Amino acid sequence: MQYQSQIVAKPYFIAAIGLFIGQILFGLILGLQYVVGDFLFPEIPFNVARMVHTNLLIVWLLFGFMGAAYYLIPEETETELYSPKLALGLFWIFLVAGALTVLGYLLVPYSGLAQMTGNDLLPTMGREFLEQPTITKIGIVVVALGFLFNIGMTLLKGRKTTVSLVLMLGLVGLAVMFLFSFYNPVNLVHDKFFWWWVVHLWVEGVWELIMASILAFVLIKVTGVDREVIEKWLYVIIAMALITGIIGTGHHYYWIGAPEYWQWWGSVFSALEPIPFFMMTVFAFNMVNRRRRNHPNKAAMLWALGTAVMAFLGAGVWGFLHTLAPVNYYTHGTQITAAHGHMAFYGAYVMIVLTMISYAMPMMRGRAAANSNKSQVLEMWSFWLMTVSMVFITLFLTAAGVLQVWLQRYSDAPQAFMVVQDKIALFYWMREAAGVVFLIGLVLYVLSFFVGSKEPEAVQS
Amino acid sequence: MSGTFTKSMARNIFYGGSVFFILVFLALTFDTVKALPKLDNRGELTPQVALGKKVWEDNNCIGCHTLLGEGAYFAPELGNVYTRRGPDFIRTWMQIQPTGAPGRRQMPQFNLNDEELDAIVAFLKYSSEINTANWPPNIEG
């Protein structure tokens, strides 16, 4: 670790991993409820478990992004963090607020939670992914502002690199777009139209800037390739991400009451959305091939290559699969969407956070550059188990989705939703089995932090 | 990517391209908001529908169902449930939940009063009359 204040990233990463475990456990509950409908009913109804599953994902990724920024920014700017104390204070505020929110989901009926938290004053709850009580949303904004202030002040007093500027731009965009979560008009079409300004312009917009800059940082570190080359790639990738992704929002506007010209704008631009992800893959492999050193942290290198490939498959290929309007007419809101969502989030955002943790954690725990071989081998096992099982989760959900589309939407005699769900149950069972393998991979991942810590550090080969 | 293509050229493409497409997106948004009165069934937006949307949100219906294809994929699409099932079915259905049928997916009992039940029906009627470019493909949603 080059700067003492980078250590504030550590609690952020630990919290991220802790919440990740919670997310996966609730994912397994949901998967089982798909086939054993009354599992844990009425204690944990599906809607509650799903809210916990998706909200934990968002919160732990935010912990991961913030941790990544606190580690990356001092090193890039070559100066200590503006205020490590503020960073630690915000950490606890965010963790406690997040924990209280999840407990609220689990312990109080949702309508009671809405009442308790004064949702009537400014109703923002009850919309997908934005289920948090309004007061939690305000808390998120406060934490985000404090965080941006801290990072921004550090950036101002230090060296301004492309990597840190792009990261900052992504994080500012994240905070700004979140403000649309407070806009909840009665008009359902308006509501949906601007709801996507949070959801789409996060994951297919500004988050890609965050992902690409973290990837660029790690690649600079582990490959030793000239910064100029990597930063040039970074600019081209994020240029393509925003050029395609902003108008690409249109692929959500086909069937919600917006004008039909969105079918053209959305189809054309979102068909181009795989390009930045493909470039990321080419970029990562290119840089690793041109490496000037063999970094001893092989696990971090594996995550970096893995995230580039899986983001391309999950976000790029599986996104393209159902993005053209004539296809989406039949697939909209089916298990195809779920399949895409799982692999895209895992490939792009889970794996980039794990890449950063893999790279930074050894240094924060007193190693010079990397964990012992033993620990790395276990971590790489967890990489393969989680990644391969996620591929299978995606394939099973895709199969379920194709059948669902055929039976419920496309055939001459369309069948009712629940009738079709029963017929595709086999694929839900297989998805659940793949989910269990994912959990095993996650357990190995956690264990990799505890094994081989007494053994000597892996050396440059 | 070497030689004549420099980092500052890449940077200019990023800033120029982004700003250009943000402006295009804003222009399309402006045009959409102008066109919506003809599409979004706002004539039906009564106080009852507003209450219905609030009931919909306060009970996290989107956590299991989809509405115009967005939401969770665990329970049926409700954007067209008013046409598929009709007002009486919706009202009765909500009152008899949960079914308690072993192994079947369960919908919680939300204990809505008559005013709220009528409001949710009104909200679903309003939703079903939004011009969705003929989506869903058939009545099953």
Side-chain angles (χ1 to χ4, degrees), chain A residues 369-406:
Chain A
N371 282 328
S372 64
N373 273 324
K374 195 172 171 186
S375 163
Q376 284 195 47
V377 166
L378 195 58
E379 189 183 341
M380 289 192 269
W381 267 99
S382 79
F383 168 93
W384 286 110
L385 277 178
M386 287 196 278
T387 304
V388 171
S389 59
M390 184 51 80
V391 169
F392 277 98
I393 288 173
T394 306
L395 290 175
F396 292 142
L397 286 179
T398 305
V402 169
L403 278 175
Q404 183 188 7
V405 166
W406 185 263

Side-chain angles (χ1 to χ4, degrees), chain A residues 34 37-38 47 111 120 128 184-185 187-188 191-192 196 231-232 261-262 329 332 408-409 421-422, chain B residues 1 5 7 31-32 40 53-54 57-58 60 67-68 70-71 103-105 126 131 134-135 138 141:
Chain A
Y34 255 92
D38 55 357
N47 76 86
S111 58
D120 289 357
E128 195 186 6
N184 180 18
N187 186 323
L188 186 65
D191 176 4
K192 284 176 174 291
W196 282 113
E231 291 183 338
K232 191 168 25 170
Y261 58 65
W262 282 108
Y329 182 67
H332 181 50
Q408 186 190 321
R409 295 260 171 91
Q421 291 295 305
D422 284 343
Chain B
M1 279 198 307
F5 187 71
K7 188 171 116 185
D31 186 74
T32 296
D40 63 13
K53 183 165 186 278
K54 185 133 194 328
E57 288 167 358
D58 281 354
N60 195 31
L67 185 65
L68 307 188
E70 293 166 1
R104 303 291 299 172
R105 295 182 192 176
Y126 149 78
N131 183 339
N134 291 321
W135 194 90
N138 65 67

Side-chain angles (χ1 to χ4, degrees), chain A residues 38-88:
Chain A
D38 55 357
F39 179 64
L40 290 184
F41 187 88
E43 288 76 23
I44 308 180
F46 182 90
N47 76 86
V48 172
R50 184 180 196 261
M51 206 158 48
V52 175
H53 179 66
T54 57
N55 284 231
L56 280 179
L57 168 68
I58 298 167
V59 170
W60 86 255
L61 290 178
L62 292 179
F63 268 115
F65 290 164
M66 289 194 277
Y70 284 132
Y71 190 90
L72 181 156
I73 291 290
E75 204 162 309
E76 281 291 297
T77 56
E78 296 181 337
T79 171
E80 293 287 352
L81 189 65
Y82 177 73
S83 170
K85 272 198 189 123
L86 177 62
L88 272 181

